């Protein structure tokens, strides 16, 4: 089992920055990918970014490339999502997720563990 706890969401204005954190505990050594997804009411959960826990390789969805940066601190068992140049369309509940699988990184059904989510609201 892996437990994930997100923090760092909030209400900001367009153009502002936020950093989300995801603290992991439990059997983290089995984790291959850590990822961030987001979801708005009535919509499916959307892939945002992922990072390999050991190698630090990253993957992003096109809409956040150049604005968001995913990183991890293995010593602190924590993943981060630095979000710069926020836009109103980035408003969503952001979820941290973990999987031991090494494929299909963008598919939410491939992730075994999820945090409770943190709200990010960007006003125009």
């Amino acid at each position: 089992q892996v437990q994930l706890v997100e923090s760092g969401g909030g209400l900001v204005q367009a153009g502002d920055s936020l950093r989300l954190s995801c603290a992991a505990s439990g059997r983290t050594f089995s984790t291959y990918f850590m990822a961030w997804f987001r979801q708005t009411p009535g919509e499916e959960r959307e892939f945002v970014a992922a990072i390999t826990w050991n190698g630090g390789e990253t993957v992003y969805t096109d809409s956040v490339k150049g604005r968001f940066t995913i990183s991890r601190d293995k010593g602190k068992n924590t993943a981060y999502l630095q979000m710069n140049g926020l836009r109103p369309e980035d408003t969503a509940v952001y979820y941290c997720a973990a999987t031991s699988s090494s494929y299909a990184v963008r598919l939410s059904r491939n992730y075994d563990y999820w945090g409770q989510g943190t709200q990010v609201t960007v006003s125009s």
Side-chain angles (χ1 to χ4, degrees):
Q1 291 285 336
V2 176
Q3 294 79 41
L4 304 173
V5 179
E6 302 102 332
S7 61
L11 171 63
V12 297
Q13 294 186 332
D16 285 351
S17 298
L18 276 176
R19 189 177 80 157
L20 306 183
S21 299
C22 174
S25 60
R27 298 171 61 88
T28 57
F29 60 84
S30 67
T31 297
Y32 192 89
F33 278 115
M34 291 283 288
W36 290 93
F37 287 77
R38 62 188 181 187
Q39 190 171 25
T40 54
E43 299 293 327
E44 292 189 359
R45 205 162 286 189
E46 175 193 22
F47 172 80
V48 176
I51 188 167
T52 57
W53 190 246
N54 287 321
E57 292 86 4
T58 58
V59 181
Y60 297 93
T61 193
D62 286 347
S63 63
V64 307
K65 284 181 181 177
R67 299 190 299 125
F68 292 11
T69 303
I70 188 171
S71 61
R72 89 278 184 253
D73 184 329
K74 293 178 65 178
K76 295 182 178 179
N77 273 348
T78 301
Y80 303 97
L81 186 66
Q82 177 67 43
M83 304 185 294
N84 298 329
L86 282 162
R87 304 167 180 169
E89 54 263 39
D90 295 318
T91 295
V93 176
Y94 283 71
Y95 295 91
C96 176
T99 180
S100 58
S101 173
S102 61
Y103 64 94
V105 62
R106 298 172 187 266
L107 297 181
S108 60
R109 64 176 182 267
N110 195 42
Y111 288 79
D112 305 303
Y113 304 104
W114 293 86
Q116 81 286 354
T118 185
Q119 177 70 46
V120 172
T121 303
V122 185
S123 64
S124 57

